[in-house]
Amino acid sequence: MSSKAAELFGQLSDFVAQLPPESTQQAVTYPSLFLLVALGALVPVVPTGAVVSSAAVVAFHQTSPLGLLFVFLVASFAAFLGDVTLYWLGQRGVGSKNGSRWLAALRDRAAPEHLEQAQSKLEDHGVAVLVLSRLVPAGRIPVMLACLLAKMPLRSFVRGDIPACLAWAATYQLIGILGGSLFDEPWKGVVVAVALTVVLSGAPPLWRRWRRKGHRPGSSGQHA
């Protein structure tokens, strides 16, 4: 019995050793990509844009032409699933007397001025504003909260969130392709893709903060 087990283990070891590196990468990348993006949609502490860009860099350097397509499909579906789950949890809070911790968390993450802007854009453009909210850094949560407070049906939210997640996944995948095309070694492309993602995500808030400081009374033209 032990000899058969040893023989089986040896065959399994030989099979794993002969696996192409790309197969191993795919077996790790796609489930990890799905989990990280879905988790980041529910609890926005994971830099999901950087995750998608990094996965796109790895797929870009693979010989399989379907790698980039799989990254796009997995990322967009995970983002959609996370959004819909979070919206459903928020709806339960809106419909109950005491609210819910998910709705409270959304309120805490949405600055009052951003929520007012999101509510105004929602009134003007309807569910189409969901597409822009996914592409603008820190724009997803205020728009989602505005949809919840407006008591938008889940079906309507889903209709607007599908193109939003597709556009989001395509945008960050293009960033990854750009980073991957600059270098022969994937890790260098990952560094560039992550750096580009951080810059794109951090520049708008810094710009708004700078404008806010510049428009404060006495902040300009008051120096001796």
Side-chain angles (χ1 to χ4, degrees):
M1 190 69 179
S2 59
S3 60
K4 290 184 178 180
E7 182 180 356
L8 181 60
F9 179 77
Q11 293 175 353
L12 180 61
S13 300
D14 293 339
F15 174 75
V16 172
Q18 293 173 2
L19 280 176
E22 289 187 9
S23 299
T24 305
Q25 291 175 4
Q26 292 170 2
V28 174
T29 299
Y30 299 138
S32 300
L33 174 63
F34 179 85
L35 291 175
L36 288 174
V37 172
L39 178 62
L42 284 170
V43 185
V45 294
V46 179
T48 52
V51 172
V52 175
S53 297
S54 300
V57 172
V58 175
F60 179 81
H61 285 278
Q62 293 177 350
T63 57
S64 173
L66 298 177
L68 289 172
L69 176 61
F70 289 154
V71 169
F72 172 73
L73 294 176
V74 171
S76 56
F77 179 69
F80 170 75
L81 185 62
D83 282 355
V84 172
T85 302
L86 184 59
Y87 191 78
W88 177 76
L89 291 170
Q91 275 189 320
R92 295 183 62 185
V94 172
S96 64
K97 293 182 179 180
N98 299 325
S100 69
R101 63 186 183 90
W102 293 98
L103 182 60
L106 289 174
R107 289 183 181 274
D108 292 340
R109 295 178 192 136
E113 62 272 17
H114 295 167
L115 177 58
E116 291 179 4
Q117 294 175 2
Q119 289 174 322
S120 176
K121 292 178 180 179
L122 182 62
E123 292 178 359
D124 295 337
H125 304 288
V127 294
V129 74
L130 288 169
V131 177
L132 184 61
S133 74
R134 260 277 176 190
L135 299 178
V136 175
R140 183 176 68 99
I141 296 301
V143 170
M144 182 179 292
L145 182 57
C147 293
L148 285 169
L149 296 179
K151 296 185 177 180
M152 177 185 292
L154 181 61
R155 182 181 300 179
S156 298
F157 179 82
V158 167
R159 189 169 63 249
D161 197 55
I162 290 175
C165 292
L166 293 175
W168 173 82
T171 299
Y172 282 99
Q173 183 164 345
L174 286 175
I175 294 175
I177 293 174
L178 175 62
S181 64
L182 297 176
F183 302 98
D184 294 332
E185 299 182 21
W187 71 268
K188 294 181 180 179
V190 169
V191 171
V192 172
V194 171
L196 287 174
T197 303
V198 171
V199 170
L200 291 176
S201 300
L206 291 175
W207 170 252
R208 287 194 295 266
R209 190 179 304 172
W210 180 82
R211 288 188 60 188
R212 201 176 299 123
K213 289 182 179 180
H215 285 81
R216 287 177 181 173
S219 60
S220 60
Q222 300 295 327
H223 301 289

